[in-house]
Amino acid sequence: MKHIAIVPLIGGMALGAESVIGSPPEAVLSYSAFSGNDKFYMGYLAQRGLDIKRYDIEDDDLPDFGEIDVATSVCPCAGLSSASTNAGPGCATNEWMKLSTRFTLSHIKPRVLVGENAPNLATNAGRPVAQALRDIGAEFGYSMQLVKTSTHLHGIPQ
């Protein structure tokens, strides 16, 4: 099974995928705006002796990754985070979710895209953003399911 990490930030989602799938990602794709966050995950991969390449999504010269089974994405959540004073469906940071989703579904075309976000995505407050993501998915032949998890299961506020 092949997977790819999209906007991994510090890497929790990508490490979870590696644990489940049993191998590191084929590549890491992110935006230059998140290179400071991504460097921690990239450093961890290098520390383990893994030569996993990080690509900037803005780069026009991305390789063909072949058939990818799973893409994981952190989908930066500040736009819906209850910890943010600017949070809400109209928050500009929500655009990162839409951009990364559109890119992944149109260029990478994984069998499954798994994203992590703030719990507000699954509430009325996040409904317009969730609908936009559903619309992007439908445009490329995907459907979307939201699953809200309990912090009792994983110990973090997301």
Side-chain angles (χ1 to χ4, degrees):
M1 186 175 272
K2 290 173 55 174
H3 68 107
I4 200 159
I6 310 290
V7 191
L9 300 180
I10 64 169
M13 175 68 94
L15 288 172
E18 180 179 339
S19 177
V20 169
I21 293 169
S23 62
E26 300 293 312
V28 171
L29 286 86
S30 194
Y31 295 95
S32 56
F34 299 110
S35 62
N37 299 81
D38 297 338
K39 73 179 180 184
F40 297 103
Y41 177 58
M42 297 308 298
Y44 177 70
L45 292 173
Q47 196 175 48
R48 293 170 50 205
L50 299 171
D51 186 24
I52 308 295
K53 182 136 171 66
R54 181 190 180 280
Y55 297 91
D56 280 328
I57 291 173
E58 300 100 334
D59 191 349
D60 290 332
D61 195 24
L62 295 173
D64 178 3
F65 297 103
E67 197 168 292
I68 298 293
D69 297 297
V70 178
T72 59
S73 179
V74 173
C75 316
C77 63
L80 292 172
S81 173
S82 53
S84 172
T85 57
N86 298 327
C91 185
T93 54
N94 290 325
E95 293 305 309
W96 290 112
M97 278 187 280
K98 297 171 193 173
L99 282 170
S100 61
T101 299
R102 179 172 295 285
F103 168 79
T104 303
L105 299 182
S106 66
H107 290 84
I108 305 300
K109 302 174 185 167
R111 284 186 161 84
V112 176
L113 168 59
V114 179
E116 178 271 336
N117 201 267
N120 282 335
L121 183 62
T123 68
N124 284 337
R127 185 167 296 176
V129 178
Q131 187 58 53
L133 295 174
R134 278 190 176 91
D135 292 345
I136 292 167
E139 182 181 338
F140 297 102
Y142 291 82
S143 62
M144 183 172 99
Q145 180 178 358
L146 291 174
V147 177
K148 191 172 177 181
T149 62
S150 168
T151 56
H152 291 101
L153 300 174
H154 48 79
I156 59 172
Q158 301 295 22

